[in-house]
Amino acid sequence: MTVFSEEQEELRRTVRTFLERTSPEANVRRFMETDEGYDPAVWKQMGEQLGLQGIHIPEEYGGSGFGFVELCLVLEEMGAALLPSPFFASAVLAASALLSSDDEEAKKELLPGIASGTTIATLAYANYTAQFDGAVEATSTPAGYTLSGSRHFVLDGALADLLLVVACADAGPSLFAVEKGAPGLSVHPLSTMDLTRKQADIVLDGVSARLIGTEGSADEVLEHVLRLACVALVNESVGGARAVLAQATSYAKERLQFGRPIGSFQAIKHKCADMLVAVEGSRSAAYHAAAVAASGDQSLAAVASLAKSYVGEAYFSVAAENIQVHGGIGFTWEHPAHLYFKRAKSAQLLFGDPLHHRTLLAERFGL
């Protein structure tokens, strides 16, 4: 069982209180319907008052200097509140990509903006199958590099001030920085099932870009970042699973049928018990994965895939059972159950579905 320090528990309480005030269901619904998909005022408070965007970024780069475990605690509370924001894209994907690179100059120049929240960044690496390929080509010129091609399913791609794009250069896959509004860059927002997490396709036509690190180094960087992203996502998912379990048990106590709470019926008891087992199992897997990621242990690849495969299915199962416990009202647009259900499904597929990660585990262990 993972035991958090008093400082970590205080961080959790602070973030939970902040989100209860700034991200109630009404605000989630309001901002998920906008093109931007977030509240700039809340985002500013997160950066200036709480320092959340830079919580795991070292102080030398403008961050708070905490670790990956603290980042995951923050994400768990955000998942419980369904906070609509570019936090995952900017603080997890983009920041981790820069921190994993060997470009000290880029870290010092770009990370402080991400840490303060004044820069919203994201990582663009996927094709239509959500995997990396050579769909973006990097061409070296006397003035630097230009990128041509497309990337898909970019988290908060339409919002980002800074795009970190994985492209193929002469030496192999490389990481490049592209600024918002650069000539030749076009961004196309996508219509997605989960409106609380915006995605976009980007097309690059001779766009000027800055090389991050060395040519050919992006394979290793991307591999590490995606493992960290899986760990971050399962911790966010634990928060969501915890929230829907609370919804289900609360409703089971309040809803009367035949003169008694529906929670007194055996079928509902079994559903809630199964949900509790799934949530607690997910919590254990996610917390362990966060500790491994923070320690830099070489088992990260296996642990990340194991947690992603288990928690992805568990969250989706719990979200679906929550709707079943609520009955007809759980299917309606007015009830929040469907918002968590859609978030759970998108989280299950993001960065590889359970089958993909079980295949990775099987290959790793020679099964």
Side-chain angles (χ1 to χ4, degrees):
M1 177 180 177
T2 300
V3 178
F4 296 108
S5 68
E6 179 55 35
E7 186 179 42
Q8 290 169 330
E9 291 293 356
E10 180 60 29
L11 170 64
R12 181 197 294 279
R13 288 191 291 268
T14 300
V15 174
R16 183 177 299 181
T17 300
F18 174 77
L19 293 175
E20 287 173 351
R21 177 172 57 84
T22 59
S23 187
E25 181 190 343
N27 284 7
V28 172
R29 290 180 178 273
R30 180 155 62 99
F31 289 106
M32 76 182 193
E33 295 289 351
T34 65
D35 292 337
E36 294 77 14
Y38 81 116
D39 183 349
V42 172
W43 180 258
K44 186 177 182 181
Q45 291 176 55
M46 287 165 55
E48 293 184 354
Q49 298 179 17
L50 300 179
L52 297 184
Q53 290 91 326
I55 191 164
H56 69 306
I57 295 176
E59 292 180 323
E60 62 186 300
Y61 304 127
S64 302
F66 291 97
F68 206 81
V69 170
E70 286 77 12
L71 172 66
C72 287
L73 286 175
V74 171
L75 285 164
E76 182 182 344
E77 297 308 315
M78 290 181 175
L82 278 186
L83 175 70
S85 85
F87 186 88
F88 201 101
S90 194
V92 179
L93 293 179
S96 295
L98 287 169
L99 288 169
S100 301
S101 74
D102 59 359
D103 194 327
E104 194 64 25
E105 182 180 348
K107 292 178 186 179
K108 291 179 178 179
E109 181 179 337
L110 301 176
L111 282 172
I114 295 175
S116 67
T118 55
T119 297
I120 295 174
T122 190
L123 178 66
Y125 69 92
N127 61 16
Y128 274 125
T129 63
Q131 302 294 320
F132 168 74
D133 66 3
V136 177
E137 296 289 338
T139 303
S140 178
T141 70
Y145 289 86
T146 60
L147 305 183
S148 295
S150 59
R151 286 277 171 246
H152 308 284
F153 314 117
V154 182
L155 295 186
D156 293 293
L159 185 65
D161 305 302
L162 174 68
L163 292 161
L164 298 178
V165 183
V166 181
C168 283
D170 291 340
S174 308
L175 187 65
F176 295 89
V178 174
E179 294 184 359
K180 181 178 183 178
L185 172 66
S186 57
V187 181
H188 308 280
L190 295 174
S191 176
T192 57
M193 178 179 68
D194 177 14
L195 297 177
T196 65
R197 196 180 327 257
K198 303 294 184 180
Q199 298 184 37
D201 288 344
I202 67 169
V203 178
L204 306 107
D205 184 11
V207 177
S208 295
R210 169 185 176 178
L211 177 66
I212 304 295
T214 56
E215 271 197 26
S217 64
D219 257 345
E220 185 176 343
V221 169
L222 182 61
E223 189 176 68
H224 183 63
V225 169
L226 292 181
R227 289 168 182 167
L228 294 177
C230 286
V231 175
L233 186 62
V234 298
N235 278 272
E236 180 192 85
S237 296
V238 163
R242 185 190 80 206
V244 296
L245 173 62
Q247 288 178 5
T249 54
S250 176
Y251 186 76
K253 295 174 184 177
E254 298 169 356
R255 177 71 166 92
L256 299 180
Q257 189 70 32
F258 305 111
R260 51 193 281 204
I262 62 172
S264 65
F265 295 108
Q266 197 74 6
I268 301 299
K269 287 181 180 179
H270 285 168
K271 282 186 181 295
C272 290
D274 288 342
M275 292 170 71
L276 176 61
V277 170
V279 170
E280 290 305 312
S282 296
R283 198 193 305 268
S284 296
Y287 289 174
H288 175 64
V292 170
S295 69
D297 193 281
Q298 292 185 349
S299 65
L300 175 62
V303 170
S305 286
L306 181 62
K308 182 64 170 66
S309 62
Y310 177 80
V311 178
E313 287 189 340
Y315 184 16
F316 181 68
S317 172
V318 170
E321 291 287 28
N322 183 41
I323 291 177
Q324 292 295 318
V325 170
H326 279 81
I329 193 174
F331 288 89
T332 64
W333 178 255
E334 290 75 21
H335 199 276
H338 75 93
L339 299 178
Y340 286 92
F341 179 81
K342 292 170 182 175
R343 170 64 73 88
K345 188 59 183 179
S346 69
Q348 185 183 41
L349 301 177
L350 194 60
F351 311 126
D353 63 12
L355 178 60
H356 170 75
H357 284 282
R358 290 193 182 107
T359 300
L360 291 179
L361 285 168
E363 292 173 350
R364 178 168 294 276
F365 296 116
L367 301 177

